[in-house]
Amino acid sequence: MKRAFSVVLTTGLLLSGIGLASAQAVSPEDQIKFRKAGYSFMSWNMGKIKAMTVDNPASYNRDQVLAAARAIAGVANSGMGALFSPASARDVGSERTRVLPEFFQQPDEVRRLATNFNREVNELARVAETGDVNAIRAQFGRAGESCKACHDKFRAK
Amino acid sequence: MKRAFSVVLTTGLLLSGIGLASAQAVSPEDQIKFRKAGYSFMSWNMGKIKAMTVDNPASYNRDQVLAAARAIAGVANSGMGALFSPASARDVGSERTRVLPEFFQQPDEVRRLATNFNREVNELARVAETGDVNAIRAQFGRAGESCKACHDKFRAK
């Protein structure tokens, strides 16, 4: 049953372009560690973009914002779906997770939110190339909404 | 004194192309958290490339290797030098660090190793586009060496 569900989820994530790395076995504990690392690193880079386009636009630096946006897109495009096996749905060893059970029960909704997120952060990297701080700020807002949509639905408070 | 040294280190890292985000204040505790997240996420992606080009080349998937290499380059190019203020040289709060004191005493050597690392992982992303698994495997080896050079010198065992 669990396995059948995993296949459904896997298929959903593959369809969404998140992809899976089939050649590498990652323990459930490491899946939690690596996915939290990815989200944490993206949050640092979102914070930089916010600082330079929302909080203090006078500090805007095109190269730094572009590097931050590309880091986020690179992480988002890397196939993080592989880091959400059913065995990683709860704390494992020393790794704690805030993912909610609903994440593993609603693959269609996960796929929809993940697809939105990937689209918005890739668009953010594209807009960051232009150096148009107003356009970057607007797209940063849309990217942030796409993060929040998943947090609201599938992450414990 | 500490501040003067920080300026030297900062200048060194800027010259190496690592860059600093001046508009965002990140606590020393979060610097450790975010830099460990970045290295951890890169290690997951290095593991995928190793699995698909060294351990089991039959599983090679161009898109997955390319996505992994781009994630690594995106993280490496994102300005991680900003996450190494002198105040982050030791464990802070709940965050533990393995960085050695020598890291903060040898800015020229840090710059040299960081520059090598950035060059090798950007080259890895470039070679990954070609789909030439032998070339990717060779460049993966060089990228791994550039990681190891810094671990050997500036990371506690």
Side-chain angles (χ1 to χ4, degrees), chain B residues 60-124:
Chain B
Y60 172 71
N61 176 297
R62 178 186 173 278
D63 289 347
Q64 290 183 1
V65 167
L66 181 57
R70 285 181 172 166
I72 294 164
V75 171
N77 294 336
S78 69
M80 290 182 71
L83 299 174
F84 287 92
S85 78
S88 72
R90 291 179 199 78
D91 298 348
V92 184
S94 64
E95 291 297 333
R96 301 187 164 225
T97 178
R98 284 198 279 167
V99 71
L100 292 173
E102 287 77 6
F103 180 94
F104 299 90
Q105 295 155 2
Q106 301 176 20
D108 288 346
E109 182 63 2
V110 169
R111 181 175 62 239
R112 190 180 71 80
L113 295 178
T115 303
N116 284 349
F117 168 66
N118 276 37
R119 187 183 60 243
E120 298 297 357
V121 298
N122 279 285
E123 178 66 9
L124 180 58

Side-chain angles (χ1 to χ4, degrees), chain A residues 67-131:
Chain A
R70 285 181 172 166
I72 294 164
V75 170
N77 294 336
S78 69
M80 290 181 72
L83 299 174
F84 285 92
S85 78
S88 73
R90 291 179 198 79
D91 297 347
V92 183
S94 64
E95 291 297 333
R96 300 187 165 226
T97 179
R98 285 198 279 166
V99 70
L100 292 174
E102 288 76 6
F103 179 94
F104 299 90
Q105 293 155 4
Q106 300 177 20
D108 287 346
E109 182 63 2
V110 169
R111 179 175 61 239
R112 188 180 72 81
L113 295 177
T115 303
N116 284 349
F117 168 67
N118 276 38
R119 186 184 59 243
E120 298 298 357
V121 298
N122 279 285
E123 178 65 9
L124 181 58
R126 195 193 64 74
V127 174
E129 289 179 15
T130 67

Side-chain angles (χ1 to χ4, degrees), chain A residues 14 19-24 26 33-41 43-48 51-52 56 59 64 67-68 70-71 74-83, chain B residues 14 19-24 26 33-41 43-48 51-52 56 59 64 67-68 70-71 74-83:
Chain A
L14 278 169
L20 285 177
S22 55
Q24 184 198 33
V26 177
K33 174 185 168 181
F34 290 139
R35 75 194 187 207
K36 288 174 73 172
Y39 294 125
S40 179
F41 202 76
S43 79
W44 174 54
N45 285 282
M46 288 293 280
K48 285 188 284 185
M52 288 186 272
N56 183 12
S59 72
Q64 290 183 2
R70 285 181 172 166
V75 170
N77 294 336
S78 69
M80 290 181 72
L83 299 174
Chain B
L14 277 170
L20 285 178
S22 55
Q24 185 199 34
V26 177
K33 173 185 167 180
F34 290 139
R35 75 195 188 208
K36 288 173 73 172
Y39 294 124
S40 180
F41 202 76
S43 79
W44 174 53
N45 285 283
M46 289 293 280
K48 285 187 283 185
M52 288 186 273
N56 184 12
S59 71
Q64 290 183 1
R70 285 181 172 166
V75 171
N77 294 336
S78 69
M80 290 182 71
L83 299 174

Side-chain angles (χ1 to χ4, degrees), chain A residues 54-68:
Chain A
V54 179
D55 299 337
N56 183 12
S59 72
Y60 172 69
N61 177 297
R62 179 187 173 278
D63 290 347
Q64 290 183 2
V65 168
L66 180 57

Side-chain angles (χ1 to χ4, degrees), chain B residues 128-144:
Chain B
E129 289 179 14
T130 67
D132 177 344
V133 68
N134 292 318
I136 298 167
R137 183 189 306 115
Q139 184 55 32
F140 169 79
R142 286 186 282 271

